[in-house]
Amino acid sequence: MPDTTTPLQERHALYIGGAWADPASDARIDVISATTEEVVASVPEASEADVDRAVAAARAAQDGGWASSTPAERAAVLNRFADAVEARAGAITTAVSTQNGMPITLAEQFESGYAVGLIRYYAALAGAQELEERRPSPLGFDSLVRRQPVGVVAAIVPWNYPVTLAMTKVGPALAAGCSVVVKPSPGTVLDSFLMADAAAEAGVPAGVLNWVPGGRKLGAYLVSHPGVDKVAFTGSTAAGKAIAVECAKRLRPVSLELGGKSAAIVLDDADLPSVVEGLHFASFANNGQTCAACTRILAPRSRYDETLQALEAFATGLTVGDPLDRATQVGPVASQEHRARVEGFIARGTERGGRLIAGGGRPDGLDRGWFVEPTVFADVDNGATIAQEEIFGPVLAVIPYDDDADAIRIANDSRYGLGGTVWSSDPARATQVARGVETGTIGVNGYVIDLNAPFGGVKDSGLGREFGPEALAGYQQLQSIYLPAGD
């Protein structure tokens, strides 16, 4: 049996059908530290045959009683699972930070505490939900409206918040009575094995949760699998569009949480020290590898120079280093390929007129690891590449505006609409500005994703919602039974 308290170890089996099973091939995924660039462990890579087994196990669980389980039974399973995940919090957060460079303090907050809270939130919803509702009809009879699980769910999870983003799918899916096949990113796989250990310990019924780690081709195979009833995906907009096309061919429900290029609107009455303190999370969380990050900073012309000075001091003052060091505020980005992508955007920003006021290179003294300096560009036109494309790294573009209406116009001049913030000493004014921004979520004087409120995007930022009771509804299908009058 594996030591489930140790985050970095070799694994040799896949969790399918409620048991650890030998993989169908000898292919392996090397786990590489974002800090040292060294291989620290390896795990089996799932094949199409393993996906077939996982989907079959999920279907057997669905048909074998999970779909017809009571809300109280589902709640009990979720609560036991939450307890088992919480018991592995240290190993999970160390694994995530080692793999993708997330500062350990953030990993503790989101990849253990927030993820556990998310599971327990859906356990509470599961226990409270009414699966049938009798409605009187204006035509003189009653209808019985039934909420049923949609079926087998394919959950495709990215590498940036691998545990939380897996649980945004697993939590509501299990609460609804669905079984799930999770395909984690090959960039963050150790945490998924620890989560599978937790599922086994918690007694999650066989086949209700299955993990098949692999790359894009495996994900495409899972998405197109005839045994899947719904796809839940978090990742890039390009991949999301391809998945949407595949699901459209099959009239298969799909939820897509995709990219973003969110704006932080700094109003002319904002307290700048509070703004820069809040932007530490809103803009630079997880080294900028956050889909809802506010990477366009809209500053009023009347306070533009003052805002630039504050942002320069803020960015250059951040502590960059080993993500396992509790003093670190910005760690490395997740991979060598991703660093090259981020550096390519920085180069285009300087070539096309952006003025670097902070960063732009690799930090001194960190010769190993995929580090990028916290970077701030001034005098950016909103049509520039660095203002329009999702960089997914610690890079901000500061854009001047004239008045509130101009700020809203610039914020909306984007193909994305996922997050955003408005900063002001007058919350009512900020809220009014927030109402004008075309986005799925937006914060006033801060940005914290609420478990009880729907999260998702508009435009190229996706379809559907996660979090809140709205996510639970996304894993249910409705049946109406028309009852004769008098029955």
Side-chain angles (χ1 to χ4, degrees):
M1 291 293 292
D3 178 3
T4 60
T5 64
T6 302
L8 308 179
Q9 59 180 300
E10 301 293 307
R11 295 288 191 133
H12 300 283
L14 298 173
Y15 192 73
I16 296 174
W20 291 101
D22 290 336
S25 78
D26 58 2
R28 307 282 295 178
I29 297 172
D30 286 336
V31 178
I32 302 175
S33 165
T35 307
T36 67
E37 306 180 34
E38 296 176 345
V39 176
V40 294
S42 73
V43 302
E45 181 175 7
S47 67
E48 292 182 0
D50 296 314
V51 169
D52 290 341
R53 287 193 294 161
V55 172
R59 176 62 61 197
Q62 196 74 19
D63 297 342
W66 181 246
S68 58
S69 59
T70 68
E73 289 169 337
R74 298 170 193 170
V77 168
L78 283 164
N79 278 319
R80 293 198 306 269
F81 183 44
D83 290 343
V85 172
E86 188 171 38
R88 292 162 173 77
I92 289 169
T93 55
T94 299
V96 171
S97 295
T98 299
Q99 293 170 105
N100 71 4
M102 181 185 295
I104 190 67
T105 52
L106 184 69
E108 290 170 348
Q109 181 182 359
F110 276 88
E111 295 294 88
S112 60
Y114 197 88
V116 169
L118 181 62
I119 301 168
R120 289 188 173 138
Y121 172 82
Y122 282 105
L125 281 188
Q129 68 178 324
E130 295 290 338
L131 299 182
E132 295 186 351
E133 173 192 355
R134 189 163 182 140
R135 298 180 186 176
S137 168
L139 301 178
F141 54 89
D142 287 355
S143 290
L144 189 65
V145 180
R146 304 180 65 232
R147 294 172 178 83
Q148 300 172 294
V150 73
V152 174
V153 174
I156 315 293
V157 181
W159 48 258
N160 58 328
Y161 292 87
V163 179
T164 294
L165 293 176
M167 293 307 102
T168 61
K169 299 157 184 58
V170 168
L174 266 61
C178 299
S179 53
V180 185
V181 178
V182 183
K183 204 264 340 149
S185 166
T188 45
V189 289
L190 289 177
D191 47 281
S192 65
F193 283 81
L194 292 164
M195 298 296 286
D197 288 332
E201 179 184 287
V204 175
V208 169
L209 272 176
N210 312 268
W211 275 267
V212 285
R216 293 180 181 178
K217 289 184 178 179
L218 193 74
Y221 182 77
L222 176 59
V223 165
S224 64
H225 200 286
V228 167
D229 298 305
K230 175 186 166 73
V231 175
F233 171 78
T234 299
S236 72
T237 295
K241 288 181 176 180
I243 289 171
V245 169
E246 193 65 33
C247 289
K249 292 177 183 176
R250 293 167 170 76
L251 295 179
R252 178 176 292 169
V254 61
S255 56
L256 303 170
E257 199 269 280
L258 307 178
K261 192 67 181 179
S262 303
I265 301 174
V266 181
L267 297 183
D268 55 17
D269 63 348
D271 176 65
L272 286 179
S274 298
V275 172
V276 294
E277 181 180 355
L279 289 180
H280 180 203
F281 179 78
S283 298
F284 278 139
N286 198 18
N287 321 321
Q289 299 172 140
T290 301
C291 54
C294 294
T295 53
R296 291 183 295 153
I297 312 300
L298 277 52
R301 292 189 190 277
S302 61
R303 301 184 68 188
Y304 190 70
D305 291 341
E306 183 186 358
T307 303
L308 291 180
Q309 291 171 4
L311 289 171
E312 178 185 5
F314 161 64
T316 56
L318 291 170
T319 300
V320 182
D322 184 345
L324 297 179
D325 184 338
R326 303 190 69 81
T328 292
Q329 295 171 294
V330 178
V333 297
S335 68
Q336 182 177 16
E337 295 78 11
H338 189 56
R339 181 174 65 177
R341 180 179 183 275
V342 172
E343 290 178 333
F345 277 110
I346 293 173
R348 274 175 277 180
T350 56
E351 290 167 0
R352 299 180 186 181
R355 176 164 61 95
L356 274 172
I357 62 171
R362 300 179 183 179
D364 294 335
L366 294 172
D367 299 327
R368 300 180 70 189
W370 298 305
F371 292 94
V372 177
E373 289 180 314
T375 298
V376 181
F377 281 95
D379 306 338
V380 177
D381 181 271
N382 193 58
T385 300
I386 58 170
Q388 289 293 318
E389 296 298 323
E390 184 179 39
I391 299 173
F392 224 58
V395 182
L396 307 183
V398 189
I399 302 165
Y401 70 86
D402 296 321
D403 54 24
D404 291 5
D406 192 39
I408 294 170
R409 179 192 63 79
I410 294 171
N412 291 340
D413 182 17
S414 171
R415 65 189 180 98
Y416 295 108
L418 183 58
T421 51
V422 185
W423 305 84
S424 172
S425 61
D426 182 351
R429 177 189 174 196
T431 302
Q432 187 59 29
V433 170
R435 289 188 177 104
V437 180
E438 297 167 355
T439 185
T441 67
I442 190 165
V444 171
N445 293 333
Y447 187 85
V448 179
I449 297 174
D450 181 9
L451 291 176
N452 198 39
F455 173 85
V458 299
K459 299 189 281 190
D460 272 11
S461 288
L463 297 170
R465 293 294 182 266
E466 295 182 323
F467 299 98
E470 289 80 5
L472 177 58
Y475 291 88
Q476 295 172 322
Q477 54 190 357
L478 301 176
Q479 180 189 41
S480 296
I481 300 176
Y482 309 126
L483 302 174
D487 285 4

